[in-house]
């Protein structure tokens, strides 16, 4: 059997060439990193949960007409996706102050923002993904004005969708990060949601207790990360409703 070609290995995923041109396979690892990989661990079951949760969110987005790279889940750790040119930005949407925004502006974590605030970071691990303005993005040609209009619209649609889905299961969507990619269709190009949407890239707080159900559990040493992600999956119906948090998840197909 021929070995498939690895395109890229990131901190939480490996990308392989897909079975057909224009496709890739995303493999979800169990590795967890924080603070630009200064803190690292292997969390058994995390990759399986994120594969399934990202499938759940991307499928839901497609159902409401938000284009994504997701094609289908292949197995417990892999999904088939459309290949795209990743725009070198991390697009963050915040509904409540937390994390770097709270640190930067001295706003108490959990403070509701007057409206969703979208911010952009330049995707460069060596630089620690620095916050940039639209002026930088235009001047350095990372994205055009049309791209930025489309990115803002995608980000806000994802925010509305995810906020609603989470609200329905008693979880507050504090903030999240997405990545966007460019695909070409004949003479046209368009932008689609790419990468992953999972508790690795969101802040999710239980609405009643404020309990953190996202990667902050790992960043801040608040308990077992796989248990937190299992709880999110269970509430969304990705795991059986009556499942208790488990570290080796058995998933519904
Ligand atoms: P921040 O408050 O640390 O800037 O994070 C904002 C959101 O972006 C939060 O939901 C976590 C997510 N995020 C990532 O997905 N990748 C990253 O590298 C960082 C720093 C944050
Ligand atoms: N993903 C980043 C890292 O590994 C940062 C983070 O999510 O906190 O290091």
């Amino acid at each position: 059997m021929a070995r498939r070609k690895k395109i890229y290995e990131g901190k939480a995923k490996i990308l392989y060439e897909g079975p057909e041109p224009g496709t890739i396979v995303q493999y979800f690892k169990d590795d967890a990193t924080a603070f630009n990989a200064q803190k690292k661990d292997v969390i058994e079951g995390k990759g399986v949960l994120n594969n399934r949760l990202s499938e759940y969110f991307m499928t839901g987005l497609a159902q409401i007409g938000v284009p994504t790279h997701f094609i289908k889940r292949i197995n417990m750790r892999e999904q088939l996706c459309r290949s795209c040119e990743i725009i070198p930005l991390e697009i963050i949407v915040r509904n409540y102050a937390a994390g770097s925004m709270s640190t930067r502006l001295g706003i108490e974590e959990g403070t509701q923002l007057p409206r969703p605030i979208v911010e952009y970071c330049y995707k460069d691990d060596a630089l620690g993904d620095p916050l940039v303005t639209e002026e930088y993005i235009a001047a350095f040609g990372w994205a055009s004005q049309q791209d930025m209009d489309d990115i803002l619209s995608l980000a806000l649609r994802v925010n509305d969708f995810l906020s609603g889905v989470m609200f329905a299961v008693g979880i507050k969507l504090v903030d999240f990060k997405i990545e966007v990619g460019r695909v070409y269709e004949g003479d046209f190009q368009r932008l689609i949601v790419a990468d992953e949407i999972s508790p690795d890239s969101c802040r999710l707080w239980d609405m009643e207790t404020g309990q953190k159900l996202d990667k902050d559990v790992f960043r801040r040493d608040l308990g077992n990360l796989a248990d937190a992600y299992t709880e999110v999956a269970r509430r969304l119906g990705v795991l059986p409703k009556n499942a208790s948090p488990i570290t080796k998840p058995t998933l519904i197909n």
Side-chain angles (χ1 to χ4, degrees):
M1 226 165 51
R3 205 179 170 82
R4 63 184 167 175
K5 192 172 160 208
K6 192 191 276 190
I7 302 170
Y8 177 78
E9 178 156 2
K11 286 175 287 200
K13 295 188 294 299
I14 304 174
L15 305 186
Y16 296 97
E17 247 173 27
E20 286 162 34
T23 64
I24 56 145
V25 172
Q26 272 200 151
Y27 175 97
F28 287 76
K29 302 194 280 188
D30 279 342
D31 299 9
T33 64
F35 314 117
N36 210 5
Q38 289 176 60
K39 178 171 176 156
K40 287 187 207 175
D41 205 349
V42 176
I43 312 287
E44 202 179 342
K46 180 175 88 84
V48 174
L49 285 157
N50 280 353
N51 183 27
R52 190 62 184 81
L53 283 164
S54 200
E55 172 193 21
Y56 179 84
F57 297 128
M58 295 284 185
T59 305
L61 283 169
Q63 281 167 352
I64 61 159
V66 177
T68 83
H69 74 157
F70 180 82
I71 301 171
K72 67 170 186 183
R73 183 163 59 84
I74 302 169
N75 58 40
M76 295 285 274
R77 287 188 182 274
E78 295 178 323
Q79 48 183 243
L80 183 69
C81 296
R82 194 164 169 187
S83 57
C84 57
E85 280 173 25
I86 293 287
I87 307 273
L89 297 173
E90 300 213 332
I91 300 131
I92 295 168
V93 184
R94 300 181 188 268
N95 298 306
Y96 298 84
S100 67
M101 173 185 249
S102 289
T103 308
R104 198 165 46 244
L105 301 179
I107 305 175
E108 194 185 341
E109 287 208 312
T111 307
Q112 187 162 18
L113 299 172
R115 61 183 175 85
I117 295 179
V118 182
E119 62 187 46
Y120 307 99
C121 294
Y122 179 54
K123 237 176 98 62
D124 186 321
D125 279 344
L127 300 173
D129 300 335
L131 186 67
V132 292
T133 65
E134 290 192 56
E135 185 68 6
Y136 287 42
I137 296 167
F140 292 117
W142 297 325
S144 68
Q145 190 52 56
Q146 178 64 56
D147 291 337
M148 291 311 290
D149 293 347
D150 293 348
I151 287 172
L152 181 63
S153 152
L154 282 174
L156 293 175
R157 291 183 76 192
V158 173
N159 187 43
D160 284 346
F161 169 78
L162 276 185
S163 297
V165 166
M166 291 303 178
F167 182 83
V169 297
I171 294 174
K172 196 191 264 187
L173 177 67
V174 173
D175 57 31
F176 66 92
K177 182 264 306 189
I178 54 167
E179 295 184 23
V180 163
R182 196 189 303 283
V183 289
Y184 296 90
E185 285 160 8
D187 288 343
F188 297 91
Q189 54 139 352
R190 64 179 180 137
L191 299 184
I192 62 177
V193 178
D195 189 52
E196 72 178 276
I197 300 178
S198 75
D200 266 14
S201 52
C202 301
R203 281 199 176 89
L204 306 170
W205 296 358
D206 180 81
M207 258 157 25
E208 299 261 296
T209 63
Q211 187 192 354
K212 293 182 182 16
L213 298 170
D214 57 66
K215 204 163 97 177
D216 274 347
V217 171
F218 170 73
R219 292 189 189 98
R220 302 178 187 191
D221 294 319
L222 300 175
N224 185 300
L225 192 69
D227 284 353
Y229 289 19
T230 299
E231 174 63 13
V232 175
R234 187 189 64 75
R235 289 199 201 182
L236 292 169
V238 170
L239 280 175
K241 282 277 180 242
N242 58 358
S244 53
I246 42 173
T247 39
K248 277 193 184 170
T250 319
L251 296 165
I252 299 173
N253 245 314

